[in-house]
Amino acid sequence: MFQKIGIEALKQVTKRYARKQNRWIKNRFLSRPGPSVPPVYGLEVSDVSKWEESVLEPALEIVQSFIQGHKPAATPIKMPYDENENKRSYHMCDCCDRIIIGDREWAAHIKSKSHLHQLKKKRRLESNAVNARESQSISPDCDRELKEKGCPGQNDAELICST
């Protein structure tokens, strides 16, 4: 019984890991390819019984052609991209204090963990500053000045002093 549960859990974790790897490869090598990114080739891996002819042999041919300096017979995977996007556009992220060049890189930066963390941190600091200003009590000098002038009908909590 426990063995069956363990095998099912292992299968589930393996599938999750494979999906995570595929997503990483897609994001790193296909969505934002740079000049130093190698071409990525897709191989049919769904039928395990044909693994040697559908995975091993084509992979070895691709590697061998790179070693020999030839262009492989297989074609690399290409992701569709918008031809209107500007690869030289200049973006300044005030939140992160970074300069980002390229529309695709800017879109990736806006979604990145580091940017979202900096944005959250900035918002938290701003809200703390606003709360601190709102919760400050009336200063003693201002309080004395208002009492001397006399403001009938207002209690101390309603008095606002601009200093």
Side-chain angles (χ1 to χ4, degrees):
M1 167 112 176
F2 290 116
Q3 189 177 19
K4 187 175 181 182
I5 293 171
I7 290 171
E8 290 302 315
L10 182 63
K11 285 180 182 179
Q12 187 178 23
V13 170
T14 303
K15 286 179 186 177
R16 189 179 310 136
Y17 181 67
R19 280 195 306 270
K20 191 173 181 179
Q21 281 183 318
N22 286 334
R23 202 168 37 249
W24 183 84
I25 287 171
K26 181 182 170 206
N27 290 335
R28 173 63 180 96
F29 295 117
L30 299 174
S31 295
R32 296 180 288 151
S36 63
V37 174
V40 177
Y41 296 87
L43 302 173
E44 179 58 44
V45 296
S46 58
D47 190 3
V48 179
S49 64
K50 297 180 181 177
W51 190 82
E52 283 193 22
E53 62 237 24
S54 62
V55 178
L56 182 63
E57 290 172 8
L60 290 175
E61 288 175 17
I62 291 168
V63 171
Q64 194 65 29
S65 64
F66 274 117
I67 291 171
Q68 294 173 354
H70 300 107
K71 186 176 180 180
T75 56
I77 298 172
K78 296 284 185 191
M79 289 291 286
Y81 64 93
D82 185 9
E83 296 196 14
N84 294 331
E85 83 181 12
N86 189 350
K87 293 182 181 180
R88 296 285 178 209
S89 62
Y90 176 90
H91 303 276
M92 177 66 186
C93 181
D94 296 327
C95 183
C96 302
D97 196 30
R98 290 183 63 190
I99 297 171
I100 311 294
I101 298 176
D103 290 341
R104 187 177 292 179
E105 287 76 11
W106 176 251
H109 172 74
I110 295 298
K111 295 177 186 175
S112 70
K113 279 185 181 179
S114 62
H115 176 76
L116 295 175
H117 175 72
Q118 290 294 333
L119 196 61
K120 188 176 178 182
K121 186 176 172 183
K122 184 178 179 181
R123 285 181 183 154
R124 193 176 336 118
L125 288 173
E126 287 174 355
S127 71
N128 287 345
V130 168
N131 290 340
R133 271 187 256 127
E134 289 175 354
S135 67
Q136 282 181 342
S137 63
I138 298 173
S139 67
D141 296 337
C142 182
D143 191 27
R144 191 177 338 106
E145 186 179 304
L146 286 172
K147 284 182 181 179
E148 287 174 4
K149 288 181 181 178
C151 295
Q154 291 183 337
N155 61 25
D156 288 345
E158 294 173 338
L159 296 176
I160 299 172
C161 177
S162 58
T163 54

